Amino acid sequence: MVSKEENILFAAEKLFAEKGFDGTSTREISKAANVNISMISYYFGSKEKLYEKLVEYRIAEGQFFSKDILERTDMNEWEKIVKIVDQFAGRVRHHKCFYRIMQREQLYTDNPKIVAFLKQTKMGFISMYSQILESGLKKGIFTKNPPIYLLHATVSGTLFYASNAKEMYKEFLNDTEEEDIFEEKYYTELNKHIKYILKDLLGYEEN
């Protein structure tokens, strides 16, 4: 069940993705969420605070799955990498609006709180990769030690670029399938592609 607060957040998320923060009014958000405009002030105080809460909310979701993966004892380090890629790709696919906002924010934001959230997210991923890589090297699961920051850039950069270019690739392939069918196939191939790259970068060979 989506709460009233979440309903406003999700309505704002779509508008921020389409129009940007400055181009979206609180009146538009209240209309999209089907609530009185005063509810935005009640739950968040201001449009800027609503925006910060949205970023905090989505980042907290990502941190939860990251912590869960690190603590798993029923999978080896390569399986953890696979899980991270699957989860990350799934979030980019199913939360397109939020990641469109974040890509824009990386270039244009002057909100110190958003800058801190973005840095926190990136550092969290880098730390997670670092711990998994170090453990995998000790156990002999990985035989190569690539720069961690470039490993993260490879995964996130490939995911974001491919996600943004999906419609262009559909046109290039002259694919006439229904959008949801093409998207399922597209992200399946994208996941496989990233894992092939990571196998080579990490020197991982399946038994």
Side-chain angles (χ1 to χ4, degrees):
M1 181 70 68
V2 176
S3 68
K4 286 185 178 180
E5 186 177 3
E6 288 174 324
N7 180 49
I8 296 170
L9 283 176
F10 300 155
E13 184 176 46
K14 291 180 181 179
L15 288 168
F16 289 149
E18 292 170 6
K19 299 185 171 187
F21 175 78
D22 291 333
T24 301
S25 69
T26 52
R27 189 169 299 279
E28 287 175 311
I29 295 170
S30 66
K31 183 178 179 181
N34 196 28
V35 298
N36 189 290
I37 195 169
S38 63
M39 296 298 286
I40 294 175
S41 295
Y42 174 76
Y43 282 114
F44 306 102
S46 66
K47 186 177 74 166
E48 186 171 70
K49 293 297 182 184
L50 186 161
Y51 192 54
E52 291 171 359
K53 182 66 177 180
L54 170 64
V55 175
E56 184 180 11
Y57 180 92
R58 290 299 189 201
I59 286 176
E61 290 179 325
Q63 288 177 330
F64 176 79
F65 93 74
S66 301
K67 186 173 183 292
D68 177 65
I69 290 171
L70 279 177
E71 294 176 351
R72 294 279 293 268
T73 59
D74 60 329
M75 55 177 64
N76 67 26
E77 282 68 19
W78 171 250
E79 290 168 335
K80 289 182 179 181
I81 292 287
V82 168
K83 190 74 171 176
I84 291 168
V85 171
D86 288 342
Q87 292 272 19
F88 194 7
R91 289 182 59 76
V92 171
R93 176 183 176 183
H94 297 295
H95 297 299
K96 294 182 180 72
C97 289
F98 177 69
Y99 284 100
R100 190 175 300 136
I101 293 168
M102 287 302 92
Q103 289 175 74
R104 185 186 298 142
E105 286 302 311
Q106 291 186 74
L107 297 174
Y108 303 116
T109 191
D110 56 2
N111 182 322
K113 197 162 187 179
I114 300 297
V115 171
F117 282 144
L118 289 170
K119 181 179 178 180
Q120 177 187 353
T121 303
K122 292 176 184 177
M123 293 295 282
F125 268 107
I126 292 171
S127 175
M128 179 170 58
Y129 287 128
S130 181
Q131 291 178 60
I132 294 172
L133 178 57
E134 183 179 354
S135 178
L137 286 167
K138 286 180 179 177
K139 295 177 182 178
I141 293 172
F142 305 135
T143 60
K144 296 179 183 178
N145 188 11
I148 288 297
Y149 59 93
L150 293 181
L151 191 72
H152 174 58
T154 297
V155 176
S156 59
T158 303
L159 272 174
F160 292 145
Y161 184 90
S163 181
N164 292 336
K166 180 171 67 72
E167 294 305 317
M168 180 189 72
Y169 289 139
K170 190 175 191 298
E171 181 180 342
F172 172 76
L173 294 168
N174 196 27
D175 194 299
T176 57
E177 292 178 306
E178 293 293 328
E179 180 63 28
D180 57 340
I181 295 174
F182 176 77
E183 182 170 289
E184 181 66 32
K185 181 176 67 176
Y186 184 78
Y187 277 94
T188 297
E189 291 178 350
L190 176 57
N191 278 20
K192 288 180 181 178
H193 177 71
I194 292 172
K195 289 164 192 172
Y196 287 145
I197 293 172
L198 292 177
K199 278 184 180 180
D200 184 59
L201 288 173
L202 296 169
Y204 173 76
E205 293 185 10
E206 294 183 270
N207 295 327

